Amino acid sequence: AQTVTQSQPEMSVQEAETVTLSCTYDTSENNYYLFWYKQPPSRQMILVIRQEAYKQQNATENRFSVNFQKAAKSFSLKISDSQLGDTAMYFCAFMKRHSGNTGKLIFGQGTTLQVKP
Amino acid sequence: NAGVTQTPKFRVLKTGQSMTLLCAQDMNHEYMYWYRQDPGMGLRLIHYSVGEGTTAKGEVPDGYNVSRLKKQNFLLGLESAAPSQTSVYFCASSYMVPGTGGYNEQFFGPGTRLTVL
């Protein structure tokens, strides 16, 4: 079975600074995807970034980037130039990758990020 | 396209009452899911469906039943609500992106906040 752990329940950062959210996971699978989702106060789940485990290059999306360490089973999210709109709960999630994939997601506990002006 | 919609958005029940949450998607997706979100626990999969007429148990299925009689709808039922079922419920749908070898792109509904007194 897969597990995803986010050990930081809450974090805060000053506007325009950089913050890193941590995530570790456990799996015996070799092929999988990892995600970071953002959940603002509206509750809508928004995909921030996706990493494919077979790709060594870390994924980036504008101000968001990841540090994917497959051997260590670590997947952290770095937010650069933090903005007030980044205030939200962030979830790390895991999905198996194979042709019969049912698309089930395994989520971490979440990290609440507060961006301060 | 409306995407994934959930009905109702809020509901308060008394212990022992029953209710059905409706999830609808207009994207012709094969896969649909019900998750519950609780503080400190992230989102956990209750039940899922890989196609019309099929359902399967997720991580926390006890106390819930589901049905998928039509491809576009996925119903979550609580036969006898308990305070432990107080939660935010999310529906999601997905499709396998061609050529990816197993990536299901996920679409989430806005959530239903359920309180059981």
Side-chain angles (χ1 to χ4, degrees), chain A residues 33 39 50 97 101-103, chain B residues 33 35 37 90 100 102-103 106:
Chain A
Y33 298 96
Q39 187 183 50
R50 179 181 91 226
R97 176 181 181 268
N101 189 14
T102 59
Chain B
Y33 318 84
Y35 294 89
Q37 180 181 359
F90 284 94
T100 62
Y103 174 57
Q106 307 268 325

Side-chain angles (χ1 to χ4, degrees), chain B residues 8-27:
Chain B
K9 289 185 170 52
F10 303 93
R11 185 73 185 268
V12 178
L13 289 179
K14 294 181 179 179
T15 297
Q17 287 185 319
S18 64
M19 78 162 294
T20 300
L21 280 66
L22 170 64
C23 175
Q25 53 96 3
D26 61 358
M27 297 170 283

Side-chain angles (χ1 to χ4, degrees), chain A residues 52-67:
Chain A
E52 297 160 23
Y54 64 91
K55 290 187 177 179
Q56 293 186 340
Q57 187 174 6
N58 288 325
T60 62
E61 286 288 342
N62 301 312
R63 297 182 295 107
F64 299 88
S65 61
V66 298
N67 183 3

Side-chain angles (χ1 to χ4, degrees), chain A residues 33 35 37 39 42-45 47 50 89 91 95-105 107-109, chain B residues 9 31 33 35 37 40-43 45 48 50 88 90 96 100-104 106 108-111 113:
Chain A
Y33 298 96
F35 308 88
Y37 279 89
Q39 187 183 50
S42 66
R43 284 205 313 245
Q44 186 65 46
M45 295 290 287
L47 177 63
R50 179 181 91 226
M89 180 164 283
F91 291 100
M95 179 195 293
K96 290 182 185 179
R97 176 181 181 268
H98 57 81
S99 60
N101 189 14
T102 59
K104 294 184 291 181
L105 285 166
F107 287 90
Q109 299 88 337
Chain B
K9 289 185 170 52
Y31 306 95
Y33 318 84
Y35 294 89
Q37 180 181 359
M41 304 188 78
L43 281 74
L45 183 65
Y48 65 100
V50 300
V88 178
F90 284 94
M96 189 171 292
T100 62
Y103 174 57
N104 287 57
Q106 307 268 325
F108 283 86
R113 180 175 293 279

Side-chain angles (χ1 to χ4, degrees), chain B residues 51-66:
Chain B
E52 181 179 321
T54 73
T55 63
K57 294 181 181 180
E59 185 185 355
V60 288
D62 292 345
Y64 305 95
N65 56 75
V66 287

